[in-house]
Amino acid sequence: MKEVLYGVEKVGRILTGHRPTGPRHLGHLVGTLNTWARLQDEYDCFFLVADLHVLTTDYTHPQRIRENILAVLLDWLGAGLDPERSTFVLQSAVPEHAELSVLLAMLVTVARAARNPTYKEQVRELGLSPSVGLLAYPVLQAADILVYKADAVPVGQDQLPHLEITREIARAFNRLYGTTFPEPQPILSAVPRLAGTDGRTMHTSYGNTIPLSADPEEIERKVLAMVTDPARVHPSDRGHPEVCLAFAYHHAFNAGAVAAVEERCRRGEIGCVPCKRGLAQVLAERLQPFRRAREEWQGREGELWELLHVGSRRARALARATLAEVRTKMGLVSWERRD
Ligand code: TRP
Ligand code: SF4
């Protein structure tokens, strides 16, 4: 499928997104944002701010959502997602996401939705009786993707079960009502998942992340606190970078120097403190665009909302066309809509 958009030939369409749960961190950068920024050249990209999905678990803090939407937008801009070339969409501003979700929900058994590993994990963690909204999370996500007939979805590993449900729904719909949706392909980041600064799984609630907006002092403090090879006491002790967290970060962010770092560590030619200071410096440089985006957009909130509004309007035209087709195929009456 080739189409010409904004004067550039694209190989297909992408839809992907984040839930606006707060500022983005290094895990988001290596897991998704770097890939997304790169894919903009090849694909017609739709980047979704999934605010409805936030409500599946966090509907008791309405005051947080707006702030978090802006935080996510700033980090996306810092990562080089470009609203001129790509379409930024606010999920709740395009009601066709919710509408398609209701229609697609008819094709998913409760048993299938309950088998979703993310759902099971959240039910365990929340310790609450799960809502219908949480159970239907992947159906809404399928609607996000299918409403634009996306060909590919670049996501982190954790999202693969959701994408599998999306593909099943697309297949079921196509079988029942005739070919309508492409079966969207996942695109995974090549970089392995990064651990948090304390060595546990990276998670904002563990306080072990480095936010993309961190300043050089915060970066240095967090890097210096990372665990290294416990066998090293003196800088001249031979090190084992494979067990060192700072080395994993060198690997992810300091590709040009990683071989030299490894050699010097193994030979006992560098102390852990200077090694980590070097890493902190590389990270501070890498994160500079994110700090710059915050400075650049400081006090221009209205323009940020406008950017999302313009994108959502553009997206909605496409979403409406899909809904007209889906409604007809499912036997619903479609009066021409004037709104
Ligand atoms: N569930 C995704 C996450 O938590 C966010 C998301 C919502 C998404 N809709 C999507 C991702 C559609 C990809 C495609 O990160
Ligand atoms: Fe890790 Fe660097 Fe210390 Fe080696 S020298 S253990 S890579 S911090």
Side-chain angles (χ1 to χ4, degrees):
M1 181 190 121
K2 290 211 172 199
E3 57 184 303
V4 177
L5 249 142
Y6 314 124
V8 184
E9 203 171 87
K10 306 281 179 155
V11 298
R13 184 176 295 147
I14 271 176
L15 176 296
T16 190
H18 279 160
R19 276 172 305 144
T21 50
R24 306 292 83 188
H25 53 62
L26 284 182
H28 296 119
L29 187 60
V30 297
T32 55
L33 291 173
N34 278 337
T35 317
W36 298 3
R38 203 165 24 79
L39 288 168
Q40 291 178 111
D41 297 329
E42 281 171 72
Y43 288 86
D44 171 24
C45 291
F46 286 68
F47 297 120
L48 180 75
V49 181
D51 56 346
L52 294 173
H53 273 118
V54 174
L55 298 180
T56 61
T57 49
D58 197 11
Y59 53 89
T60 54
H61 302 99
Q63 68 284 3
R64 284 186 199 160
I65 297 181
R66 281 158 195 266
E67 198 179 304
N68 287 341
I69 290 171
L70 293 181
V72 164
L73 271 184
L74 285 170
D75 286 331
W76 283 7
L77 292 165
L81 305 192
D82 178 359
E84 304 269 321
R85 283 192 294 160
S86 302
T87 306
F88 288 16
V89 188
L90 180 62
Q91 191 182 31
S92 66
V94 182
E96 284 73 13
H97 287 244
E99 185 179 358
L100 184 59
S101 172
V102 168
L103 298 176
L104 298 180
M106 313 308 169
L107 310 186
V108 183
T109 64
V110 172
R112 175 64 186 92
R115 244 184 5 252
N116 168 23
T118 317
Y119 173 76
K120 291 203 245 176
E121 189 186 310
Q122 294 217 307
V123 169
R124 232 180 297 127
E125 263 178 33
L126 292 171
L128 292 171
S129 182
S131 69
V132 174
L134 185 65
L135 182 65
Y137 185 113
V139 183
L140 178 57
Q141 183 157 343
D144 296 338
I145 298 165
L146 299 179
V147 83
Y148 303 114
K149 301 193 179 184
D151 303 292
V153 187
V155 278
Q157 279 280 343
D158 62 314
Q159 294 298 313
L160 288 181
H162 290 152
L163 202 62
E164 199 40 53
I165 299 183
T166 304
R167 292 162 54 84
E168 286 172 29
I169 293 175
R171 278 198 293 273
F173 192 99
N174 292 345
R175 196 177 56 242
L176 285 164
Y177 306 111
T179 306
T180 309
F181 299 115
E183 265 181 57
Q185 302 294 324
I187 300 177
L188 287 173
S189 149
V191 183
R193 213 173 143 149
L194 203 60
T197 54
D198 58 1
R200 293 189 293 167
T201 309
M202 194 188 293
H203 206 286
T204 310
S205 65
Y206 294 164
N208 63 2
T209 64
I210 298 180
L212 298 178
S213 56
D215 60 27
E217 288 72 43
E218 179 178 0
I219 294 169
E220 184 165 287
R221 182 166 46 77
K222 291 197 166 162
V223 169
L224 287 177
M226 284 179 184
V227 282
T228 58
D229 176 1
R232 292 195 92 203
V233 181
H234 283 287
S236 59
D237 292 340
R238 288 171 183 274
H240 308 85
E242 62 280 1
V243 301
C244 170
L245 183 63
F247 186 72
Y249 277 68
H250 270 295
H251 209 89
F253 297 102
N254 196 11
V258 73
V261 169
E262 172 162 12
E263 195 173 312
R264 296 178 76 194
C265 173
R266 287 199 194 284
R267 290 189 182 164
E269 288 174 1
I270 184 174
C272 288
V273 172
C275 179
K276 287 168 157 183
R277 286 229 159 88
L279 170 65
Q281 205 171 354
V282 168
L283 278 176
E285 274 162 38
R286 179 69 189 79
L287 297 188
Q288 214 211 327
F290 296 91
R291 294 192 298 278
R292 208 179 315 122
R294 280 198 167 47
E295 282 163 24
E296 197 180 318
W297 289 89
Q298 174 84 33
R300 294 165 60 196
E301 284 195 0
E303 285 169 75
L304 281 173
W305 286 113
E306 183 56 22
L307 193 156
L308 204 48
H309 186 203
V310 168
S312 302
R313 207 164 42 211
R314 192 191 310 156
R316 193 167 183 201
L318 242 158
R320 277 186 165 167
T322 303
L323 258 297
E325 184 183 354
V326 167
R327 290 170 60 98
T328 307
K329 286 184 169 170
M330 290 186 86
L332 301 172
V333 176
S334 264
W335 280 301
E336 205 188 336
R337 297 193 210 177
R338 289 168 203 287
D339 56 335

